[in-house]
């Protein structure tokens, strides 16, 4: 079938993506890119037009990314949109021959849509040498995608996270233990900074309000095939186990469970902004002298435990304490000591070379280089 047309029954997902581009992702109709990559011009890519927004779409070959690409390709030529698209694929070389078959599938799909195809190849051996291969691959993938976006002179990079991804993410963070900020989940947009401190690329998720079921229904209506990632069937992975065993039950109870997760994450993001302002106000009370930061204990007792925890995390992060060591188990005893009415001196060591001392009148964090 042709990839060019779109029947009326296919418009629901496309309409959701088009609305999210403008309202959630900051891709305004007819906006221009800011600046060009060295050696290129904004209109050097076939199909681009003056004043177009250049956008790179990350496509793995899976259902979600294929649906996003098809939706954006349908939106791009509309009057007032002026999107100039490119398709980016990262070959991790961790799954062969499936990885190369995925790359060939995405390249063929890009060609069928008359879109440029960008490819990056990662060093699988280097990824395997790192402790957490999944985290290492994710970090390397985003770095590669950001570089491809820069090469295309695109200020926007779109990935295909959808509502059920948000639900899975919130459940995973809840089970592992997270702070308020962790419940912000997957953001509609965030900045990706490049290693050489060039202008950041804006990472956007315009399909975040769409369910996994709607994605697949959309592709079936189009007659559009996709590739399955067999690692999603590995139930030793928490996300795969939640997807296989837990989400079906939640969707049976509440078909809109994914949408509820998206709304909750948005509300948590708003709450975090309020808390961040309070933490910034509390930070104004911190006195700095050499490698020691201190604040009045009586002031700290007036702050919400959330604000106090946020301030301590900020100070301890500056001191070099790893974020994964700053959970409830570490901070709760310190916060209790600060907020109780006891005198004397109590000391805590949340990290190597870092000490927190709580006295009758003050709290000192030693080892902070400011």
């Amino acid at each position: 079938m042709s990839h060019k047309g779109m029947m009326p029954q296919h418009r629901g997902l496309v309409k959701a993506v088009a609305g999210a581009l403008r309202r959630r992702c900051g891709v305004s109709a007819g906006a221009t890119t800011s600046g060009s990559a060295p050696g290129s011009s904004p209109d050097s890519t076939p199909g681009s037009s003056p004043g177009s927004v250049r956008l790179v779409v990350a496509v793995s070959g899976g259902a979600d990314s294929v649906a996003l690409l098809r939706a954006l390709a349908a939106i791009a030529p509309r009057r007032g949109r002026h999107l100039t698209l490119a398709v980016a694929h990262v070959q991790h070389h961790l799954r062969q021959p499936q990885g190369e078959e995925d790359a060939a599938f995405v390249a063929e799909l890009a060609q069928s849509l008359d879109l440029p195809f960008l490819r990056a190849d990662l060093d699988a051996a280097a990824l395997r040498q790192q402790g957490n291969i999944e985290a290492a691959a994710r970090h390397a993938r985003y770095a590669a995608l950001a570089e491809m976006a820069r090469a295309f002179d695109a200020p926007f990079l779109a990935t295909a996270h959808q509502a059920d991804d948000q639900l899975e993410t919130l459940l995973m963070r809840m089970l592992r233990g997270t702070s308020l900020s962790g419940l912000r989940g997957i953001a509609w947009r965030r900045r990706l900074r490049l290693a050489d401190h060039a202008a950041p690329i804006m990472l956007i998720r315009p399909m975040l309000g769409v369910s996994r079921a709607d994605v697949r229904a959309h592709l079936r209506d189009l007659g559009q095939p996709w590739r399955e990632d067999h690692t999603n069937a590995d139930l030793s992975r928490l996300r795969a186990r939640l997807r296989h065993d837990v989400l079906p039950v939640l969707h049976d109870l509440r078909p809109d469970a994914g949408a509820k997760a998206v709304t909750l994450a948005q509300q948590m993001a708003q709450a975090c902004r309020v808390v961040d302002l309070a933490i910034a106000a509390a930070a104004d009370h911190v006195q700095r002298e050499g490698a020691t930061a201190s604040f009045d204990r009586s002031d700290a007792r007036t702050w919400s435990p959330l604000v106090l925890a946020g301030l301590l995390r900020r100070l301890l992060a500056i001191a070099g304490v790893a974020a994964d060591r700053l959970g409830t188990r570490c901070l709760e005893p310190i916060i209790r000591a600060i907020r109780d009415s006891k005198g004397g001196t109590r000391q805590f060591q949340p990290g190597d070379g870092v000490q927190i001392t709580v006295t009758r009148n003050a709290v000192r964090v030693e080892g902070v280089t400011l």
Side-chain angles (χ1 to χ4, degrees):
M1 64 162 289
S2 168
H3 290 302
K4 305 291 186 180
M6 175 150 300
M7 299 297 288
Q9 63 264 37
H10 305 148
R11 290 177 180 164
L13 185 143
V14 175
K15 183 177 179 181
V17 170
L21 281 175
R22 181 179 65 256
R23 293 191 298 270
R24 299 291 185 182
C25 301
V27 183
S28 58
T32 58
T33 59
S34 56
S36 301
S40 69
S41 66
D43 305 315
S44 61
T45 301
S48 66
S49 60
S52 67
V53 178
R54 299 167 75 82
L55 190 156
V56 167
V57 190
V59 182
S60 67
D64 295 341
S65 61
V66 170
L68 175 62
L69 176 61
R70 290 297 308 269
L72 289 171
I75 293 165
R78 292 181 178 179
R79 181 177 297 178
R81 287 292 171 182
H82 304 302
L83 295 179
T84 298
L85 304 177
V87 179
H89 179 79
V90 178
Q91 181 22 328
H92 299 79
H93 292 280
L94 294 171
R95 298 178 294 111
Q96 296 294 18
Q98 186 182 3
E100 196 56 38
E101 292 168 355
D102 291 346
F105 172 84
V106 175
E108 183 179 349
L109 178 59
Q111 183 179 30
S112 73
L113 294 168
D114 297 325
L115 296 175
F117 174 68
L118 312 175
R119 170 173 169 159
D121 290 83
L122 303 184
D123 185 341
L127 293 176
R128 289 190 176 98
Q129 288 175 359
Q130 302 189 45
N132 185 333
I133 188 171
E134 194 171 339
R138 181 171 60 252
H139 178 79
R141 178 169 63 254
Y142 276 113
L145 289 168
E147 288 296 343
M148 285 189 280
R150 179 167 69 171
F152 189 66
D153 193 28
F156 296 101
L157 167 67
T159 62
H161 293 88
Q162 34 80 3
D164 290 298
D165 292 324
Q166 185 74 287
L167 179 56
E168 291 164 6
T169 297
L170 294 184
L171 289 171
M172 288 171 64
R173 292 183 180 179
M174 180 189 72
L175 292 173
R176 289 172 173 167
T178 188
S179 64
L180 179 67
S181 63
L183 294 178
R184 291 177 298 184
I186 303 168
W188 287 92
R189 55 181 274 158
R190 71 178 178 89
R191 294 181 186 276
L192 287 178
R193 298 244 172 230
L194 298 172
D196 59 3
H197 304 294
I201 303 296
M202 187 64 72
L203 175 65
I204 61 173
R205 280 89 172 221
M207 211 164 67
L208 197 55
V210 177
S211 72
R212 182 174 288 121
D214 286 343
V215 164
R216 280 153 178 74
H218 176 75
L219 293 178
R220 285 192 293 269
D221 285 346
L222 289 174
Q224 170 66 62
W226 65 86
R227 299 279 297 172
E228 289 290 356
D229 182 351
H230 297 301
T231 62
N232 289 333
D234 179 5
L235 299 187
S236 67
R237 298 168 63 242
L238 178 57
R239 185 179 288 274
R241 184 71 182 277
L242 288 170
R243 185 174 301 178
H244 185 270
D245 293 342
V246 178
L247 261 65
V249 177
L250 294 179
H251 283 303
D252 185 52
L253 293 171
R254 289 297 302 247
D256 61 347
K260 296 294 186 186
V262 172
T263 300
L264 174 62
Q266 290 169 193
Q267 292 171 343
M268 289 299 101
Q270 294 167 7
C272 282
R273 285 192 284 273
V274 174
V275 173
D276 286 345
L277 289 173
I279 292 170
D284 290 339
H285 293 262
V286 175
Q287 304 295 317
R288 301 170 175 87
E289 184 175 346
T292 299
S294 63
F295 50 90
D296 191 278
R297 190 176 167 200
S298 61
D299 287 338
R301 286 197 186 103
T302 68
W303 302 333
S304 159
L306 272 177
V307 173
L308 184 51
L311 178 62
L312 290 172
R313 281 195 182 92
R314 182 179 297 188
L315 294 174
L316 292 171
I318 294 171
V321 181
D324 59 6
R325 297 183 63 175
L326 297 178
T328 302
R329 182 178 298 181
C330 169
L331 295 181
E332 205 167 62
I334 303 170
I335 293 171
R336 279 201 305 268
I338 294 171
R339 290 173 59 83
D340 67 26
S341 58
K342 297 178 183 177
T345 298
R346 285 164 285 179
Q347 294 181 326
F348 305 86
Q349 293 182 318
D352 296 337
V354 180
Q355 180 170 281
I356 294 181
T357 303
V358 180
T359 67
R360 177 176 294 276
N361 298 315
V363 180
R364 294 196 307 273
V365 184
E366 297 168 280
V368 180
T369 303
L370 296 168

